């Protein structure tokens, strides 16, 4: 199985969308520079959503535009909740978009004011356009383990939505534990079942560390062959529409896990520690992942060139 792990950095979107302090576009661009230096595979630059619903994400076109001056479009993706968001994203230069379907009707209503059937129809149409325009699509299945409104989610529903989204033409299905309720055994069971019908490289994971199981869940998914993970610098994150959601699993925690297991993430550890320090300073709320303290006090063990544990 491949020893390459791909990290999609979501700090600029999931990380900031529920922050009490709204970062300016200039601050988000400063963070973008710092994240590009880390060597993460891809960066979610923000979301093209209603600024009334999520004011923190206003100006995502400018943040994405700034990134596109520094790196190729294939390094970036953005969240779009509907066709309008897709059109705004493509007009701003996006070549990869993230659609979100929650596994329950109540969560879809609270998040985007649509039923599951309605958002699936929107996804089918947007994916069709994206395929014609050569835009990559990641289709998220949110609240994949537990919904804050409806409770435990049936794995059959998650598998069925993922299969349908892939059949519409999505490049990858991203299984998202939006409120961080999953445990490693559940993750193993779900992916064992999913990978019977879906190639593991067409799946990705998005975990939150609410119950301190983020890294264990990543490990469980790695064991099932998954190699694409969302992570957030400093462990920042949360959804304004999902009560109880706390930070994403930290980029530094996954990066250290992977390196200790001999899996290559392409991360430059020194640059990553600087990015954690920046996000702490900019937000005032990011704590840093659990690996941050050890990493920041053992930098001499890292050869900066290779970004590997000596
Ligand atoms: N980007 C910017 N503005 C948008 C938009 C988008 N993607 N989609 C709709 N709008 C605007 C409409 O133009 C309209 O503007 P107006 O009031 O100035 O006329 C307004 O938003 C309402 O449009 P409507 O289609 O009736 O949407 P809604 O009120 O049912 O809200 C969403 C639906 C999806 C736009 C809104 O719920 C949303 O942006 N949610 C964000 C969810 C999110 O980010 N969750 C966290 C990540 S999963
Ligand atoms: Zn999330």
């Amino acid at each position: 199985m491949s020893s390459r792990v791909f990290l999609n950095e979501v700090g600029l979107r999931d990380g900031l969308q529920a922050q009490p302090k709204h970062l300016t576009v200039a601050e988000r661009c400063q963070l973008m520079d710092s994240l590009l230096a880390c060597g993460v595979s891809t960066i979610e630059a923000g979301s093209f959503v209603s600024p009334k619903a999520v004011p923190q994400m206003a100006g995502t076109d400018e943040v994405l535009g700034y990134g596109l001056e520094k790196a190729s479009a294939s390094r970036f993706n953005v969240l779009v909740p509907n066709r309008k968001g897709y059109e705004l994203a493509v007009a701003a230069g996006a070549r990869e978009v993230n659609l979100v379907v929650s596994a329950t009707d109540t969560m879809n209503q609270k998040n985007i004011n649509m039923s599951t059937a309605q958002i699936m129809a929107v996804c089918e149409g947007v994916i069709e356009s994206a395929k014609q325009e050569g835009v990559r699509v990641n289709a998220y299945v949110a609240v994949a383990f537990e919904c804050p409104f409806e409770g435990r989610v049936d794995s059959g529903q998650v598998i069925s939505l993922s299969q349908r989204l892939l059949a519409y033409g999505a490049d990858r299905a991203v299984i998202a534990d939006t409120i961080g309720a999953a445990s490693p055994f559940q993750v193993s069971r779900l992916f064992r079942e999913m990978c019977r019908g879906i190639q593991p490289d067409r799946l990705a994971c998005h975990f939150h560390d609410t119950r301190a199981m983020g890294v264990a869940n990543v490990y469980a998914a790695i064991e099932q062959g998954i190699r694409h993970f969302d992570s957030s610098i400093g462990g920042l994150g949360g959804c304004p529409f999902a009560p109880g959601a706390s930070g994403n699993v930290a980029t530094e925690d996954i990066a250290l896990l992977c390196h200790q297991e001999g899996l290559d993430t392409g991360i430059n550890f020194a640059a990553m520690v600087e990015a954690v320090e920046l996000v702490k300073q900019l937000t005032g709320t990011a704590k840093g992942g659990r690996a941050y303290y050890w990493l920041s006090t053992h930098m001499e063990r890292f050869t900066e060139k290779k970004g590997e544990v000596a």
Side-chain angles (χ1 to χ4, degrees), residues 13 17 48-54 79 81-82 84-85 88 111-113 241:
R13 197 275 302 170
Q17 70 183 5
F48 286 87
V49 296
S50 160
K52 282 182 202 149
V54 191
L79 186 146
N82 54 15
K84 176 165 180 163
L88 291 171
N111 192 32
I112 50 169
N113 199 21
F241 308 100

Side-chain angles (χ1 to χ4, degrees), residues 137-152:
V137 177
N138 303 306
Y140 282 66
V141 178
V143 298
F145 294 89
E146 192 175 311
C147 169
F149 307 102
E150 294 191 24
R152 280 286 283 272

